[in-house]
Amino acid sequence: MSASAAAIEAEGLHKTFGSIHAVDGIDLALQPNRVYGLLGPNGSGKTTLIRLIAGLARATAGEARILGTRMPSRPMLRRIGYMPQAEALYPELSVRENVAFFARLEGAVSNDAIDRVLELVELGDRRGTPAMHLSGGMRRRLSLACTLVHEPPILFLDEPTVGVDPALRVQFWAHFRRLAAAGTTILVASHVMDEADRCDELLFVRSGKVIARGTPTELRQGAGTTDLEAAFLHYAGLDAEGRPLVASEP
Amino acid sequence: MSIARVLAVARRIAQGFRRDERTLGLVFVVPIVVTALLGWVLRDQMDATVRVAVAGAIADQAAQSRLETIAAESGIDLEVRSLGLNASIEDVRAAVRAGRADVGILIPIQYGGPPAVQVVTEGADPAAESGMMGALQMLLLRAFEPSGSGLLNGPPTFRHETVYLSPDADTLDVLAPVFLGYFGYFFVFLLTGISFLRERVGGTLDRLLATPVTRVEIVLGYSLGFGLFATLQVIVLTLFVLARIDVPAIGPIPAFTIGLDVQSVGNPVLAFFVALVLSLGAVNLGVFLSTFARTELQIIQFIPLVIVPQGLLGGIFWPVDRLPDILQVVARALPMTYAVDGLREVMLKGAGLGSAVVQGDLAVLAGIAVLFVALAAGTIKREVA
């Protein structure tokens, strides 16, 4: 494997489900110390792209590499944190037991690390509560804790702040920035445009293709607008009357 | 009360069924299949040859051929072998214990008085043996008929003894060891099936596969985790079957007994071990079959396919070698057949770990458990092992 500065690379990634091109020829080179935003409407291929890169699904064509290793690779999974869109938690287990379970699967993780990550997501005083008794926002935070507990250098976060209240969302992002500053490569999928501005670099995705990429400022300037939503519509070839971003693909 | 709302609920149920072919199949096809299977098992039982070992006055050539002739006239397939005129009751018992004969008959050579017939059976299956005893008594009475060319004169007396259990053992004594294995298997299968289905449907399995855990690690972890519960369950059930605790009457509550007070000839720990190895197979069967279900209801729907045939064919009620040929082949592929055999060997016949039969049963059960570990791991979809 060639040594490469990019932490996450993709070359000509394709994934088809029958006649549907979920991911249709995507190239990426994502650097450490940065937060990347994957923006697009539901069904645009964000989740499939993340699953291909993380090695959870096999590409129809093309290849993805993480830290120079071609995916899928099981040893590389230890260095990845993946937060799926739907919380994957054990409802009968307590908050702490859920985190401890995933920590053990990732390899030996100290009790300190588990307690630290619980404080980070503000579930320290809920550690004994069964997950089934948590509110939607708390489950989201617990899911994030399970993803972060082994301190992976590569993070894939699929809509991490859905159902999280604005105050905590700010704290989430402050932590993502700290992690990036410490060398983590973060790829966040979202369809919330106000989150996009917190990313270092954005990838606009539509119908399985990257239709534009750049910093939020570059993308706004390129579209001649002050607002990212309008910029997306511009690059998607839709006018200001175009379908709302959250609408499903036809 | 609105009829329209009642109808709306009823209509909703019918609409749901229409899209669930499997439940429709369960409602209409499975009862027929199970009933047909039961009918097949009951009607086409093979008339097994009864192997009789004779000793004493009945052991000479003339007596043997007379016995066979009368049996043939009565439509009973009898295979008579002689242990010799001078064989003792010990020789007869040894022949039955070694499985060389189903029934042993000794008529001591004596002069005068009615013949005292001693009958020895295995004792592992009271129901079948009492039927066999009835037929034998009839045969022997005919053979002794004073008017005909009887073997001996005078009405014979019968004394029945069994090699393993006492002759008055009841059906429960024979079935209890088997239920140890059967109920454990049943509940462990249901528990793991539903539990693993939740992993698949709830997204946790997918999440697990984003960690370095391997598929075999997941399946073995399940075996160990549910194996612990299977262990506790089998321990409690074994104790209940074997125990007898008499609770005296207290006030208005009459005296009662806890436990079935079933006699185990062999080592209960070995019986427990056989049931445990069976249960481990059930864990992995549950994981395996959860692939083919989308809802918990569909796991329940596997009961008629997994649990019922094993109950009918596993040798619990009817010996496997009396089943119709094709069903015998099926029965030999079911883990329950080996568990039933092993449990009976241990608890009714007192076999130990040194017994070749018990070793064989345990080996097959362990093999089936390992096979299903592999099959279960194979059902977990993953891009990397």
Side-chain angles (χ1 to χ4, degrees):
Chain A
M1 283 296 143
S2 60
S4 166
I8 300 172
E9 295 164 284
E11 282 168 24
L13 269 188
H14 278 270
K15 179 72 176 180
T16 54
F17 298 104
S19 61
I20 299 164
H21 294 264
V23 170
D24 195 4
I26 289 185
D27 299 291
L28 296 173
L30 311 184
Q31 310 296 327
N33 294 86
R34 290 175 80 80
V35 180
Y36 293 85
L38 206 52
L39 257 77
N42 292 330
S44 58
K46 302 188 296 287
T47 298
T48 308
L49 177 60
I50 285 181
R51 292 180 58 82
L52 288 182
I53 301 172
L56 303 178
R58 193 172 287 275
T60 313
E63 73 171 67
R65 285 187 297 274
I66 288 183
L67 303 172
T69 301
R70 184 169 181 174
M71 301 301 286
S73 152
R74 203 168 55 77
M76 202 44 74
L77 289 174
R78 187 187 296 269
R79 316 192 60 178
I80 292 174
Y82 170 58
M83 178 176 174
Q85 213 166 342
E87 296 98 27
L89 302 169
Y90 293 93
E92 315 82 18
L93 297 193
S94 73
V95 164
R96 195 178 193 288
E97 286 162 349
N98 266 289
V99 178
F101 172 64
F102 284 105
R104 287 186 195 107
L105 290 187
E106 297 287 358
V109 174
S110 67
N111 283 330
D112 282 353
I114 295 170
D115 291 331
R116 258 202 318 277
V117 80
L118 283 178
E119 290 305 324
L120 171 77
V121 298
E122 297 192 349
L123 285 174
D125 55 346
R126 292 287 190 141
R127 65 186 64 221
T129 309
M132 67 174 108
H133 294 151
L134 297 178
S135 70
M138 288 180 188
R139 283 205 295 273
R140 212 76 205 116
R141 277 140 66 187
L142 178 53
S143 183
L144 180 66
C146 295
T147 306
L148 297 180
V149 67
H150 60 298
E151 297 172 0
I154 308 282
L155 269 182
F156 296 104
L157 308 172
D158 200 347
E159 314 225 346
T161 58
V162 173
V164 174
D165 64 68
L168 194 67
R169 184 181 296 184
V170 172
Q171 290 181 26
F172 268 28
W173 275 95
H175 187 67
F176 297 161
R177 302 283 357 159
R178 275 198 297 276
L179 290 172
T184 308
T185 312
I186 304 179
L187 181 59
V188 181
S190 177
H191 59 238
V192 184
M193 288 296 163
D194 73 337
E195 288 193 342
D197 251 333
R198 302 177 192 272
C199 298
D200 298 308
E201 205 171 319
L202 295 177
L203 300 133
F204 283 170
V205 186
R206 192 171 134 82
S207 303
K209 291 189 168 76
V210 176
I211 54 171
R213 63 181 85 193
T215 66
T217 313
E218 285 167 0
L219 289 171
R220 270 192 290 261
Q221 282 170 354
T225 168
T226 55
D227 142 39
L228 277 172
E229 195 162 301
F232 186 92
L233 291 172
H234 169 83
Y235 290 109
L238 300 169
D239 60 18
E241 304 280 304
R243 286 164 300 164
L245 281 173
V246 289
S248 305
E249 290 288 290
Chain B
M1 178 83 169
S2 153
I3 295 297
R5 286 196 292 264
V6 172
L7 289 178
V9 173
R11 185 192 172 97
R12 197 276 298 159
I13 290 167
Q15 283 170 334
F17 265 116
R18 214 176 48 203
R19 304 230 165 74
D20 190 353
E21 296 90 353
R22 199 187 301 196
T23 302
L24 281 179
L26 180 85
V27 171
F28 297 110
V29 179
V30 171
I32 292 176
V33 171
V34 171
T35 310
L37 187 61
L38 186 60
W40 193 5
V41 168
L42 288 179
R43 184 165 289 160
D44 292 350
Q45 293 260 340
M46 302 219 295
D47 290 325
T49 305
V50 180
R51 295 167 305 155
V52 184
V54 290
I58 197 175
D60 67 31
Q61 198 60 49
Q64 269 186 58
S65 55
R66 174 151 176 79
L67 203 56
E68 278 172 344
T69 312
I70 294 174
E73 285 168 7
S74 317
I76 297 171
D77 195 2
L78 214 60
E79 184 189 301
V80 183
R81 54 175 291 175
S82 170
L83 297 177
L85 295 168
N86 298 320
S88 73
I89 189 71
E90 273 309 319
D91 299 327
V92 177
R93 286 180 189 141
V96 174
R97 186 176 285 119
R100 290 196 299 271
D102 301 313
V103 192
I105 302 171
L106 169 69
I107 303 177
I109 297 168
Q110 58 182 16
Y111 302 96
V117 183
Q118 296 183 36
V119 182
V120 180
T121 58
E122 220 178 26
D125 189 353
E129 283 170 16
S130 67
M132 199 157 64
M133 277 297 294
L136 261 179
Q137 291 197 5
M138 187 200 72
L139 283 185
L140 288 170
L141 283 173
R142 282 192 58 193
F144 290 134
E145 267 169 13
S147 53
S149 51
L151 293 170
L152 292 163
N153 288 325
T157 59
F158 287 94
R159 199 167 64 77
H160 178 202
E161 66 169 66
T162 53
V163 174
Y164 298 117
L165 291 178
S166 75
D168 51 350
D170 57 12
T171 311
L172 180 64
D173 285 312
V174 180
L175 287 184
V178 169
F179 286 162
L180 258 187
Y182 190 67
F183 289 130
Y185 191 83
F186 179 67
F187 288 115
V188 167
F189 161 73
L190 270 191
L191 222 61
T192 40
I194 289 173
S195 177
F196 208 79
L197 179 83
R198 284 197 191 148
E199 296 254 21
R200 288 183 198 274
V201 175
T204 46
L205 180 63
D206 206 42
R207 177 68 181 79
L208 289 188
L209 297 180
T211 74
V213 75
T214 68
R215 295 177 297 178
V216 170
E217 283 166 357
I218 296 175
V219 173
L220 287 181
Y222 255 76
S223 298
L224 202 61
F226 279 101
L228 181 72
F229 281 92
T231 305
L232 293 175
Q233 189 193 35
V234 173
I235 286 176
V236 170
L237 205 55
T238 310
L239 288 178
F240 183 77
V241 164
L242 298 180
R244 183 193 168 94
I245 301 169
D246 290 312
V247 180
I250 305 166
I253 306 163
F256 60 96
T257 305
I258 299 173
L260 297 181
D261 193 21
V262 167
Q263 303 297 317
S264 171
V265 187
N267 187 346
V269 176
L270 184 58
F272 154 77
F273 190 63
V274 173
L276 184 64
V277 179
L278 176 74
S279 295
L280 288 180
V283 171
N284 296 298
L285 180 70
V287 173
F288 173 69
L289 285 181
S290 72
T291 325
F292 307 103
R294 288 187 308 276
T295 63
E296 295 176 6
L297 181 65
Q298 291 185 338
I299 291 283
I300 309 283
Q301 290 173 7
F302 281 122
I303 292 174
L305 291 174
V306 173
I307 304 300
V308 174
Q310 305 220 57
L312 291 180
L313 304 180
I316 296 178
F317 300 106
W318 308 284
V320 171
D321 51 16
R322 302 265 177 93
L323 294 175
D325 284 342
I326 301 172
L327 292 184
Q328 281 195 33
V329 175
V330 177
R332 305 262 178 234
L334 302 175
M336 194 60 62
T337 306
Y338 299 93
V340 166
D341 186 56
L343 284 167
R344 285 205 170 131
E345 282 294 318
V346 173
M347 291 182 69
L348 302 182
K349 303 186 182 173
L353 199 49
S355 145
V357 178
V358 175
Q359 285 172 359
D361 289 333
L362 276 174
V364 173
L365 287 175
I368 290 174
V370 169
L371 172 71
F372 273 95
V373 167
L375 283 177
T379 62
I380 301 174
K381 297 263 182 309
R382 191 181 211 183
E383 299 307 333
V384 288

